[in-house]
Amino acid sequence: MRNICFVTGTRAEFGLMQSVLRAIRKHKKLHLQLIATGMHLDPAHGAGVQSIEREGWKVDRVVGWGSDSGRDRATTARNTGLAMTGLVDAFVALQTDLVLVVGDRVEAFAAASAAHIAGLPVAHVHGGDRALGQVDDALRHAITKLAHIHFPATRQSAQRIYQLGEERWRITRAGSPGLDGITKAAASPGAIRKVVGRVTPGRFALIVLHPAMDSEQLEYTRAGLILNATRAIPFEQILIVYPNNDPGAAGIMRCWEAEAQADPTRVRAYRDLPRRIFLGLLRDAAVLIGNSSSGIIEAASFGTPVIDIGPRQQGRERGRNVLWAPYASGRLGMALRSMWNNGRPRHFASQNIYGGEGAGRIIADTLAKIEIDLRLTRKLIRY
């Protein structure tokens, strides 16, 4: 059995990878290992490790991560470096054969760096994408250079990986695993009601906003601007999911806490939601507002309208359901009114450029059959 260790740092990324993890767990030649770190350990963002275990997953190791990463980028960098030591110790203790990471988060970068230097092969999902973020674009492409096996979601992303000097035999376009079974995974209205209360499909707005800058005060102001613009549209409810732990997040969280207390009937904020509940809300929302990658990737599978705000997702491929707006009340108001359409919310065809079904199976099968030898682990830039 080949030990495949997935390192997870956030609830969102763990949910996106579940089809891959199930395929690995079921594969007769693979053994799944899970390491939890990052936001999973921060109570301000929900009970991450406990939530994973309640869903029937075994967490093999928990690697410490400072709870104050969102304070500033120097603290985030320090915590990233400290976590690398714990990750290497975990890989050795677990006798890991290959390390699996996804995306562009600092936790994935720490895991890829630790594994590569320790001589372990790294497989990277969703490489080759573009997204400005705070340090996202640079970290994603740095992980690509540290990784030995690549699973991009789109044709463009696969080509970017090749242009970075990676050999074609290392690249397998799999699509986004977050889209595997997405419509079946989304919770029913009854299940949603048990978690968030009664909401009417097509009559509520969903907000997921992450920081784009380090300044807590600036992000607090931006969050207030977005909520005020959303309030001006006659949505029955406004449901908010807390941000990740990037620097500046505390400002957004402070705004959400204050506004949810001031208007609890109409505004509800959640630190953490199970993926199936979030997908159900994403399916049923009149519009998703903010700058989450879920608006760029998953929302198109439901045809849900999305207003992508600001620069965080700049450069990312997107479908016709996504409308961009700046942090400006006038432009944002126009975008919201366009999507609300006088009480008849716009809806789009369920077409997704990030793929359809089968990513989990493709990734697991590739991890099982690829030879782990010097040809794989000793890389030389292609040109």
Side-chain angles (χ1 to χ4, degrees), residues 127 178 249 258 276 286 298 375:
R276 65 189 188 91
E298 287 99 325
R375 178 174 182 255

Side-chain angles (χ1 to χ4, degrees), residues 129 238 347:
D129 293 357
I238 300 169
H347 203 76

Side-chain angles (χ1 to χ4, degrees), residues 19-334:
S19 72
V20 179
L21 304 183
R22 285 193 295 268
I24 292 172
R25 190 164 62 176
K26 291 178 181 178
H27 203 288
K28 62 182 180 181
K29 294 184 178 180
L30 302 176
H31 175 250
L32 177 66
Q33 301 172 333
L34 286 178
I35 293 178
T37 187
M39 283 175 59
H40 290 300
L41 314 185
D42 189 347
H45 296 273
V49 175
Q50 294 88 340
S51 297
I52 292 172
E53 292 175 334
R54 278 198 300 269
E55 292 177 8
W57 298 95
K58 177 190 175 186
V59 177
D60 295 278
R61 288 289 188 280
V62 173
V63 172
W65 193 283
S67 61
D68 56 352
S69 273
R71 186 174 66 188
D72 54 53
R73 288 173 67 163
T75 303
T76 300
R78 192 175 300 113
N79 289 340
T80 303
L82 292 171
M84 286 177 63
T85 301
L87 287 165
V88 171
D89 290 342
F91 297 150
V92 172
L94 293 172
Q95 298 183 336
T96 295
D97 294 309
L98 185 146
V99 174
L100 177 65
V101 296
V102 60
D104 55 14
R105 294 281 305 166
V106 289
E107 299 93 343
F109 175 75
S113 301
H116 187 107
I117 296 169
L120 291 172
V122 177
H124 184 208
V125 178
H126 261 294
D129 293 357
R130 298 173 69 209
L132 185 63
Q134 290 190 327
V135 293
D136 304 34
D137 207 52
L139 286 189
R140 188 186 305 268
H141 299 316
I143 295 169
T144 291
K145 296 311 300 179
L146 292 166
H148 306 85
I149 310 167
H150 311 284
F151 297 107
T154 71
R155 185 173 286 103
Q156 284 189 22
S157 293
Q159 183 60 23
R160 288 193 193 101
I161 292 172
Y162 180 72
Q163 289 173 324
L164 283 168
E166 298 297 296
E167 298 161 295
R168 286 208 186 276
W169 65 268
R170 298 180 182 273
I171 305 168
T172 301
R173 184 161 67 95
S176 175
L179 305 182
D180 281 352
I182 188 172
T183 55
K184 292 181 180 179
S188 66
I192 293 171
R193 191 180 307 118
K194 291 178 181 178
V195 177
V196 304
R198 185 176 295 277
V199 291
T200 305
R203 313 308 295 176
F204 68 92
L206 182 61
I207 297 178
V208 187
L209 181 70
H210 301 301
M213 299 292 287
D214 301 353
S215 168
E216 291 183 12
Q217 184 56 48
L218 176 60
E219 293 298 341
Y220 175 87
T221 301
R222 286 174 165 177
L225 180 151
I226 290 167
L227 187 53
N228 287 336
T230 306
R231 275 204 182 105
I233 306 299
F235 299 112
E236 291 180 6
Q237 286 98 22
I238 300 169
L239 306 186
I240 300 170
V241 180
Y242 269 48
N244 62 25
N245 63 345
D246 285 351
I252 298 174
M253 294 166 65
R254 184 157 47 92
C255 179
W256 296 158
E257 288 168 359
E259 296 295 341
Q261 291 177 6
D263 189 6
T265 302
R266 193 176 181 213
V267 179
R268 308 176 198 169
Y270 303 90
R271 293 182 183 275
D272 183 28
L273 287 173
R275 179 168 171 80
R276 65 189 188 91
I277 300 298
F278 177 75
L279 290 177
L281 292 173
L282 184 59
R283 175 198 62 210
D284 295 343
V287 61
L288 171 65
I289 306 157
N291 56 15
S292 167
S293 62
S294 62
I296 305 297
I297 300 174
E298 287 99 325
S301 292
F302 299 115
T304 301
V306 175
I307 299 177
D308 175 43
I309 302 174
R312 187 177 177 91
Q313 299 296 336
Q314 182 179 329
R316 214 156 199 175
E317 294 176 71
R318 55 195 63 203
R320 294 178 59 249
N321 64 311
V322 181
L323 179 65
W324 182 83
Y327 290 105
S329 58
R331 292 277 299 278
L332 179 54
M334 288 175 59

